[in-house]
Amino acid sequence: MEQRPGTELLKGSYYIETYGCQMNEHDSEKIAQLLEDQGLCPVDTAEMADVIVINTCAIREKPEHKVYSALGKLRALKKRKPDLISIVAGCVAQQQKQELLKRTDVLDCVLGTHAISELPALISRIRRERRRVCETEFRRDVTSLHMSAPRKGAGSVCSYVTIMQGCSNFCTYCVVPYTRGPEQSRQAYEIINEVQQLARSGVREITLLGQNVNAYGKDLKDGVRFPELLRQLSHIDGIARVRFTTSHPRDFHEDLAAAMRDVEAVCEHVHLPLQAGSDRILREMRRGYTYEEYLEKIRFLREMVPHVAVTTDIIVGFPGETREDFEATCQALQTIRFDQIFSFKYSVRPQTVAGSLNNHLSEDVKKLRLAMVHDIQSAITQQYHTDTVGSVEEVLIEGIRTATGQPFGRTRTGKIVNLEVSENVFIGDLIQAKIIKGLKHSLVGKKV
Ligand code: SF4
């Protein structure tokens, strides 16, 4: 346990409910670590906890709705346990601020995205002063940026490392610039120190996190940009693999593809959100590239990094998306043949430019388009998985499936491989596996 200086130890237990994206999951892991360092122990259900944190996401409407239903359930718990402390953290907290406290009297604390590291002190204050608090100021130096935490479900061998936070792009559909503030990069030496510490503790794979990692370093004076950061991290003993997410196509250039080609530790996988195949919609989204420009990035990437896996995000039903616009997206999927996609129906986000447009599509149309996109991609992903059968892939063993006892891990391209139960492997092993089956969402392999 590593108590933070100037804070008192806390008594009791905590439970965290997380909604939304990878960045949020990582924040929840940081919150868990902070609370445990201060003395709270984790419990499996909200009913058992003395402190409940609901870590929210505002990128889409659905996770936001879940917050209100979770708050509804808290009322009964609070009745039974009046000393229970309830906290809403994350993007919804950042966006709604005091409004959230006004909306419900069961809430004790609204914790903004830049205030994570203050949570233990805030819990002490709430217990001492019996007063509700709202901490949502944006700061220049975000302390929680400097904390790492293991990747959920990957034992102790894989870790996320946040290299920057916030975004300054203001795509017209997105709330991130409002909820996480402008882009802020960490100093390269801090990231390197953190990765060295992780390597000493047995971590073998790191995933560098940021809303737009390609912009890393633009706001710093020391001149280290993202490709150079990858090169520097690859010299750290013990780190076998480096991944990164998310890349913005506008800022994805040949120097990054060259780093991927030249630096052995950097895995052959890029998540490059396309969002739409129609130039008109891309313009409306203010994405900063045309479809042709995106295709050119894919061309040089595949040429420079053979066998690279490319995944993407797609939004269907953006306001005013015509049948032709949508068909352009379907055509893009067929042309580019992504390894995997994450597709979503457009939903109105408060404060955004697109939210105030008046040509929204009906839910039925959006649902239908989403289903069509799923169908196209399922066939492509299945084909990729089938084509992998017979090949030998490097797999880092991340854990053992609780239900089946099967060891599992990922290929360098990010695909999940489940091994036979009888395989004699350990978490953290880097093995060669022959792929014997290609399923819809994963591969089955055999150690060679
Ligand atoms: S690049 Fe656009 S979509 Fe991505 S976080 Fe920034 S504003 Fe949101």
Side-chain angles (χ1 to χ4, degrees):
M1 190 186 294
E2 204 178 296
Q3 191 188 349
R4 291 172 71 76
T7 55
E8 58 192 78
L9 272 180
L10 299 169
K11 288 201 184 84
S13 57
Y14 78 89
Y15 176 78
I16 306 180
E17 185 117 1
T18 309
Y19 302 120
C21 61
Q22 215 169 22
M23 196 65 112
N24 239 27
E25 276 176 24
H26 186 41
D27 281 350
S28 285
E29 286 156 12
K30 289 181 187 173
I31 292 172
Q33 202 173 310
L34 264 176
L35 296 181
E36 282 170 45
D37 287 348
Q38 291 305 121
L40 292 184
C41 13
V43 285
D44 293 336
T45 62
E47 287 72 19
M48 294 159 76
D50 301 306
V51 173
I52 296 177
V53 183
I54 304 170
N55 193 14
T56 62
C57 174
I59 287 191
R60 279 169 270 286
E61 211 173 4
K62 211 167 158 193
E64 197 179 323
H65 283 158
K66 284 191 192 161
V67 179
Y68 295 114
S69 101
L71 283 173
K73 286 185 203 145
L74 272 185
R75 186 167 297 284
L77 284 181
K78 272 266 195 190
K79 238 184 191 161
R80 281 214 313 272
K81 236 184 189 182
D83 287 336
L84 173 72
I85 294 184
S86 54
I87 297 152
V88 169
C91 291
V92 175
Q94 186 64 48
Q95 207 170 35
Q96 304 210 0
K97 303 183 173 67
Q98 290 283 356
E99 273 310 301
L100 261 180
L101 288 181
K102 284 188 201 149
R103 227 174 141 146
T104 170
D105 57 357
V106 297
L107 193 58
D108 297 296
C109 174
V110 175
L111 186 79
T113 52
H114 285 197
I116 288 178
S117 60
E118 283 159 52
L119 184 56
L122 291 173
I123 294 172
S124 298
R125 198 166 114 197
I126 296 165
R127 281 181 172 166
R128 215 176 34 242
E129 298 175 8
R130 303 253 154 215
R131 206 157 52 84
R132 307 164 84 205
V133 293
C134 176
E135 199 60 60
T136 51
E137 285 293 301
F138 276 152
R139 292 134 218 246
R140 179 58 222 163
D141 187 28
V142 186
T143 318
S144 59
L145 255 182
H146 313 292
M147 299 166 55
S148 62
R151 202 175 83 203
K152 207 175 168 188
S156 52
V157 292
C158 302
S159 183
Y160 287 125
V161 175
T162 309
I163 60 166
M164 60 194 301
Q165 108 144 4
C167 181
S168 307
N169 282 320
F170 292 92
C171 300
T172 56
Y173 54 84
C174 180
V175 285
V176 168
Y178 307 98
T179 58
R180 293 199 175 251
E183 270 163 15
Q184 282 188 53
S185 306
R186 291 175 68 187
Q187 293 288 346
Y189 73 85
E190 284 179 9
I191 299 169
I192 291 166
N193 282 346
E194 185 180 319
V195 175
Q196 282 169 336
Q197 275 176 27
L198 289 168
R200 280 196 289 274
S201 71
V203 165
R204 306 216 62 196
E205 178 183 300
I206 51 161
T207 302
L208 307 175
L209 280 186
Q211 305 291 348
N212 177 13
V213 290
N214 312 127
Y216 170 80
K218 273 188 183 172
D219 57 324
L220 296 177
K221 289 197 185 82
D222 68 2
V224 174
R225 301 301 291 271
F226 191 57
E228 176 55 24
L229 180 71
L230 290 176
R231 288 178 206 274
Q232 293 191 11
L233 291 171
S234 71
H235 299 307
I236 297 174
D237 272 353
I239 296 297
R241 290 174 164 192
V242 179
R243 300 185 185 280
F244 55 87
T245 192
T246 294
S247 291
H248 192 297
R250 194 198 48 215
D251 299 321
F252 190 96
H253 303 298
E254 291 192 16
D255 55 351
L256 179 52
M260 294 182 68
R261 176 195 62 200
D262 301 339
V263 183
E264 206 190 318
V266 178
C267 291
E268 295 82 10
H269 173 208
V270 177
H271 184 70
L272 200 62
L274 169 65
Q275 306 299 12
S278 144
D279 282 344
R280 195 183 71 78
I281 295 294
L282 287 173
R283 232 181 1 258
E284 292 278 310
M285 290 176 164
R286 215 186 282 148
R287 290 289 291 168
Y289 52 85
T290 62
Y291 175 58
E292 277 306 316
E293 285 164 349
Y294 184 95
L295 274 187
E296 172 55 18
K297 313 250 171 196
I298 297 289
R299 189 201 58 73
F300 72 66
L301 174 64
R302 285 182 168 157
E303 190 181 296
M304 293 171 75
V305 189
H307 311 301
V308 67
V310 187
T311 54
T312 202
D313 293 336
I314 294 289
I315 295 175
V316 298
F318 186 82
E321 182 189 73
T322 61
R323 181 84 214 166
E324 290 71 38
D325 293 323
F326 175 66
E327 276 166 7
T329 297
C330 296
Q331 187 53 52
L333 297 182
Q334 301 282 15
T335 306
I336 299 169
R337 298 183 65 78
F338 294 103
D339 289 69
Q340 182 63 275
I341 67 165
F342 301 89
S343 48
F344 309 95
K345 285 183 291 172
Y346 169 82
S347 61
V348 174
R349 304 291 63 227
Q351 290 180 287
T352 59
V353 173
S356 61
L357 297 172
N358 54 11
N359 47 356
H360 291 275
L361 272 61
S362 73
E363 266 308 296
D364 285 350
V365 170
K366 287 195 264 185
K367 260 190 205 157
L368 187 70
R369 290 184 181 179
L370 186 66
M372 288 166 78
V373 156
H374 276 169
D375 286 350
I376 295 172
Q377 186 58 40
S378 291
I380 296 170
T381 301
Q382 177 66 69
Q383 191 59 52
Y384 270 117
H385 287 181
T386 307
D387 292 349
T388 318
V389 173
S391 68
V392 174
E393 303 279 336
E394 179 196 279
V395 177
L396 174 65
I397 305 298
E398 294 181 7
I400 310 290
R401 301 255 174 241
T402 328
T404 58
Q406 273 180 296
F408 69 92
R410 273 170 213 270
T411 64
R412 288 179 61 91
T413 52
K415 298 190 166 70
I416 294 171
V417 180
N418 292 300
L419 300 172
E420 303 285 314
V421 182
S422 55
E423 296 281 22
N424 191 18
V425 292
F426 298 94
I427 295 172
D429 283 355
L430 206 55
I431 62 156
Q432 297 294 321
K434 184 164 185 173
I435 305 305
I436 52 174
K437 217 184 271 178
L439 306 173
K440 201 170 166 191
H441 302 293
S442 61
L443 306 169
V444 181
K446 214 173 165 30
K447 187 179 166 189
V448 293

